[in-house]
Amino acid sequence: MIDAHGRTIDYMRLSLTDRCNLRCVYCMPEEGVKRLEHNDILRFHEIMTIVRAAASLGIHRIRLTGGEPLVRKDIQDLVAEIASVEGIDDVSLTTNGVLLPKMAKDLKRAGLKRVNISLDTLNPQCFAEVTRIGKLQDTLDGIEAALEAGFDPVKVNAVTVRRLNQDFLAFARMSMDRPLHMRFIEYMPVGGGEENPGCGWDEGDVISSDEVREIINRQAIEMGLSPLVPAEDSRPVGGGPARYYRFEGAQGTVGFISPRSRHFCHECNRLRCTSDGKIMPCLFSDKKFDIKQAAAADDIEAVRDVLMQAVGAKPDDHHDRVGTERGMSQIGG
Ligand code: SAM
Ligand code: SF4
């Protein structure tokens, strides 16, 4: 599928649930979001109809997300079914990692290729504050479990938020001794709208990728280490819009994803499907195309039509829009 701005759309982010076992302050209000009714959530057979239709239109990579995708019951079975669809050659997952120690090996066996694990701080107390209900060790154990299960690449994603006082160098050094790809993501103005008023974004909290890289390099040099060097030749598979660097001799890389300071809308290749079956042309678009009805009727032609309408509605750029109706956990980050 090629959109009106000449971009090839071959990737879909599929949200499996709006529920989560954490409550990250920038993503969800403390009391959680108004949860979707069970009947509103896409069932497995509806998801499979959407995936088959998408594959027939040239989508060949699927990323499962949420909310927390690993709280969706029987996700291993879904992964196996999606991985067996003709035309889908890459099934990946974005997770907070908490459930990976229990599930990583089964997910690998089911055909999951890659995992991205979200981790915003290496300080146990700060982790408890950011996630409101989480324990740092659980996510660290999840990273170990992903490496042990043989996922390659394993990426660790940190949203950079000024008020969190994150230790960027400590994060970046996680890429030294193990094949971990550490990525820093600029904080995006998602949420704050009617459906998720509680997750307030503040411009003052945004730290640009350039500033993060400068801090890492300055602190590295102070410690007698060499600074990061560009490493586009070592881009991990599925690296998306990140720019990659590495420390000399490191096993992994350090990537920067800069939706605020460096627009990469011209490279956008994706559609999003929310857990209640809305196709979103863009993270920052309030346009949504209902696909649940067509999927429930197993009407693959109608499902294909909805996908093509959404591709046709992809904007050229997010034009620095601030705030969206839904928060990240409801869209599928
Ligand atoms: N629960 C899973 C997790 O945390 O990885 C998957 C869903 S979560 C919404 C996906 C990603 O979105 C996480 O890495 C999270 O940090 C990121 N995210 C949430 N709100 C964000 C924001 N305002 N700006 C940038 N990233 C955000
Ligand atoms: Fe849950 Fe992920 Fe949102 Fe954190 S970022 S509250 S783990 S969905």
Side-chain angles (χ1 to χ4, degrees):
M1 288 183 285
I2 298 184
D3 76 359
H5 311 287
R7 300 167 296 196
T8 300
I9 311 304
D10 58 7
Y11 172 42
M12 185 154 76
R13 294 180 78 99
L14 190 55
S15 174
L16 298 185
T17 177
D18 61 332
R19 302 186 180 187
C20 188
N21 46 2
L22 300 181
R23 293 276 178 282
C24 302
V25 289
Y26 53 76
C27 179
M28 273 199 188
E30 187 158 15
E31 61 284 9
V33 288
K34 185 169 171 278
R35 286 169 26 166
L36 292 167
E37 298 295 328
H38 182 67
N39 280 344
D40 293 333
I41 301 274
L42 287 174
R43 290 156 193 256
F44 277 10
H45 75 89
E46 294 166 348
I47 292 175
M48 289 313 303
T49 304
I50 296 168
V51 170
R52 285 194 195 97
S56 75
L57 290 170
I59 298 278
H60 63 94
R61 293 196 293 133
I62 301 277
R63 174 167 292 276
L64 304 176
T65 182
E68 174 49 46
L70 296 185
V71 304
R72 178 86 192 237
K73 197 164 168 274
D74 298 329
I75 180 179
Q76 295 90 331
D77 299 343
L78 184 70
V79 166
E81 268 201 72
I82 295 177
S84 70
V85 171
E86 200 183 324
I88 301 294
D89 51 33
D90 185 42
V91 188
S92 59
L93 174 82
T94 296
T95 171
N96 59 35
V98 168
L99 292 171
L100 278 178
K102 269 198 222 147
M103 299 171 74
K105 287 198 175 119
D106 286 347
L107 288 164
K108 181 83 171 54
R109 261 194 298 272
L112 188 74
K113 289 239 169 100
R114 310 182 281 117
V115 289
N116 289 6
I117 300 167
S118 306
L119 172 63
D120 299 322
T121 171
L122 294 169
N123 174 316
Q125 197 187 328
C126 184
F127 188 92
E129 283 165 22
V130 173
T131 62
R132 294 198 183 100
I133 49 177
K135 284 206 218 81
L136 172 64
Q137 196 56 48
D138 291 344
T139 294
L140 294 178
D141 290 347
I143 295 172
E144 291 310 319
L147 289 168
E148 268 170 36
F151 287 109
D152 181 23
V154 175
K155 296 177 192 160
V156 175
N157 290 341
V159 180
T160 57
V161 182
R162 197 173 295 280
R163 86 188 111 116
L164 297 185
N165 287 320
Q166 293 144 302
D167 186 344
F168 301 128
L169 180 60
F171 266 126
R173 290 187 70 187
M174 286 169 63
S175 68
M176 294 287 287
D177 303 327
R178 280 171 320 158
L180 275 180
H181 301 277
M182 181 65 223
R183 288 131 43 100
F184 296 101
I185 304 178
E186 286 173 358
Y187 186 22
M188 290 184 276
V190 179
E194 258 174 41
E195 296 187 43
N196 190 1
C199 65
W201 172 91
D202 188 302
E203 179 86 61
D205 265 333
V206 177
I207 316 185
S208 72
S209 296
D210 284 351
E211 187 178 342
V212 174
R213 193 158 47 86
E214 277 161 24
I215 293 170
I216 292 172
N217 282 342
R218 195 184 61 237
Q219 293 181 346
I221 290 165
E222 278 167 15
M223 287 180 68
L225 299 167
S226 347
L228 291 168
V229 291
E232 286 305 316
D233 53 340
S234 321
R235 288 181 78 80
V237 175
R243 282 170 300 154
Y244 282 95
Y245 294 78
R246 71 185 320 150
F247 286 122
E248 231 169 78
Q251 291 193 39
T253 60
V254 179
F256 296 89
I257 303 180
S258 321
R260 292 292 293 172
S261 65
R262 175 184 163 266
H263 284 199
F264 42 66
C265 298
H266 62 284
E267 296 167 21
C268 185
N269 59 354
R270 63 195 59 185
L271 283 180
R272 291 170 190 271
C273 180
T274 66
S275 56
D276 57 343
K278 312 280 181 232
I279 302 293
M280 294 188 58
C282 170
L283 184 57
F284 288 97
S285 164
D286 286 334
K287 278 196 187 148
K288 313 183 199 78
F289 295 82
D290 183 75
I291 204 163
K292 192 171 193 306
Q293 210 183 343
D298 204 17
D299 184 345
I300 197 145
E301 270 314 313
V303 170
R304 284 158 59 101
D305 276 354
V306 175
L307 292 170
M308 287 189 297
Q309 273 179 49
V311 166
K314 277 183 74 66
D316 61 333
D317 198 296
H318 57 62
H319 300 289
D320 285 329
R321 179 170 166 182
V322 173
T324 52
E325 258 177 40
R326 294 183 164 197
M328 206 62 136
S329 64
Q330 297 158 306
I331 298 171

